[in-house]
Amino acid sequence: MGSRFEITVVANDSAKGEKYIDQAINEISRIERLISSWDPNSQTSEINRNAGVKPVKVDKELFDLIQRAIVISKLSDGAFDISYASMDKVWIFDGSMTQMPDEEIIRNSVSKVGYQNIILDKENRSVLLKLSGMKIGFGAIGKGYAADKAKALLIEKGVVSGIINASGDMNTWGLQPDGKEWKVAITNPMNKNKAFALMPVSNSAVVTSGNYEKYVTFNDKRFSHIIDPRTGYPTTGIISVTVFAPKAEIADALATSIFVMGIEVGLNRVNQLPKIECIIIDDKGAIHTSNNIEIDKI
């Protein structure tokens, strides 16, 4: 998935702990083989190859993941969309861009994007991408899903406590060996070498998405590497979003979506969802939180 996973388990025996971690790694690798759009042998690649041609029968696990992704797309008014993989690469965030792309090029870049054109057939458990050239990808949900599955496996094996860190997507359960709750540091986007808060996390996931490393600036306006899949334009106004949720999958998807939806709509949407909270930092450094967040600043 192009992500680094760090797995920590609390166990009485180091050999047993290593065995648990190996099992979690195997589970993450299994999911990658299923959902990776880079692996030509994956079912996701098979769906993409047959875009505009025919439906592809898939495993229930992948079908259900796509179905949940579409629910999030509807919830976010299309701010989250796994068919983002169809986007042309118009924006480059390596410092080489010297001017804004042409409006028509930007508009055309998202012509194949649209979750409405992902057709699911529950009876046959098949997936059809209606448009030729359409693609789906799980970059904004996949590593969170993998972390959830690895966590569930470890709990099933009897691991009472641990953390799975999927490149910043933190998924916790149980307590630290000293009996205290796990705490997650939230990076200060104005100074990424420092944290601005420590948040207690109990049997839940925390995902932070930021644009403080990949962006371009035109006419004194900063454009994030997170692209609105509906318009093709990069997001502006927000530099960091942290989402707390029972599962990393939903936290992963919402962290990206809130960038696109913006502060007001993003907070409004989160405040309507049970057991989900968020912290947003805007491009002026101001902190915005959902209703039930209290920040214990460092």
Side-chain angles (χ1 to χ4, degrees):
M1 280 168 269
S3 300
R4 178 183 176 88
F5 281 73
E6 295 180 0
I7 301 163
T8 303
V9 299
V10 176
N12 293 325
D13 180 276
S14 60
K16 192 177 285 187
E18 292 289 348
K19 181 183 176 184
Y20 288 140
I21 289 172
D22 287 342
Q23 290 172 328
I25 291 168
N26 289 338
E27 176 70 349
I28 292 163
S29 298
R30 181 189 69 79
I31 292 162
E32 181 167 37
R33 289 192 296 272
L34 182 69
I35 70 173
S36 173
S37 55
W38 300 103
D39 181 353
N41 299 313
S42 74
Q43 291 184 11
T44 301
S45 292
E46 184 70 7
I47 292 169
N48 291 342
R49 273 194 296 272
N50 286 282
V53 179
K54 64 178 182 179
V56 174
K57 188 176 176 65
V58 298
D59 291 353
K60 183 179 184 301
E61 182 177 11
L62 182 59
F63 187 91
D64 291 347
L65 179 61
I66 294 170
Q67 193 169 44
R68 292 196 302 275
I70 291 173
V71 169
I72 298 170
S73 294
K74 291 176 179 176
L75 178 72
S76 65
D77 302 321
F80 173 85
D81 194 327
I82 57 170
S83 69
Y84 80 94
S86 315
M87 274 194 286
D88 295 331
K89 300 295 185 287
V90 171
W91 300 87
I92 303 167
F93 298 95
D94 62 2
S96 63
M97 287 190 76
T98 57
Q99 60 183 32
M100 286 273 288
D102 182 78
E103 280 186 30
E104 187 176 354
I105 291 173
I106 295 171
R107 189 165 55 248
N108 290 338
S109 72
V110 293
S111 61
K112 301 289 177 66
V113 177
Y115 68 92
Q116 301 90 341
N117 293 316
I118 304 172
I119 310 302
L120 301 183
D121 183 337
K122 288 185 182 179
E123 189 175 334
N124 295 307
R125 212 171 64 216
S126 66
V127 183
L128 169 67
L129 306 183
K130 279 178 69 173
L131 307 177
S132 177
M134 243 187 114
K135 294 178 184 176
I136 58 171
F138 297 96
I141 195 173
K143 68 181 191 290
Y145 174 64
D148 286 337
K149 292 294 285 185
K151 171 183 169 179
L153 175 75
L154 290 171
I155 291 172
E156 182 186 318
K157 298 291 182 183
V159 179
V160 296
S161 183
I163 294 183
I164 296 173
N165 178 358
S167 291
D169 292 14
M170 309 294 290
N171 209 344
T172 73
W173 72 103
L175 299 170
Q176 296 184 60
D178 62 5
K180 294 179 180 178
E181 288 181 310
W182 297 106
K183 286 194 173 183
V184 173
I186 310 299
T187 300
N188 180 349
M190 311 304 279
N191 182 352
K192 64 184 181 181
N193 295 316
K194 292 185 178 180
F196 77 85
L198 274 176
M199 307 294 289
V201 183
S202 178
N203 196 29
S204 61
V206 184
V207 171
T208 296
S209 184
N211 78 343
Y212 38 85
E213 293 182 332
K214 291 183 180 179
Y215 60 89
V216 291
T217 304
F218 296 119
N219 300 322
D220 295 324
K221 190 173 186 179
R222 180 149 83 169
F223 295 88
S224 158
H225 74 285
I226 298 171
I227 310 292
D228 186 337
R230 303 165 299 188
T231 66
Y233 280 87
T235 57
T236 61
I238 296 174
I239 57 174
S240 176
V241 174
T242 298
V243 175
F244 301 80
K247 288 186 175 292
E249 175 188 315
I250 184 71
D252 209 358
L254 284 175
T256 305
S257 306
I258 291 167
F259 263 96
V260 176
M261 289 188 284
I263 297 168
E264 187 176 343
V265 174
L267 286 175
N268 179 267
R269 206 58 51 94
V270 166
N271 285 329
Q272 296 177 52
L273 299 172
K275 298 181 181 178
I276 294 176
E277 304 295 338
C278 75
I279 301 170
I280 302 171
I281 302 178
D282 66 26
D283 56 5
K284 303 293 190 297
I287 299 171
H288 311 261
T289 66
S290 54
N291 289 342
N292 299 310
I293 286 277
E294 288 184 15
I295 296 179
D296 181 15
K297 292 185 181 181
I298 296 174

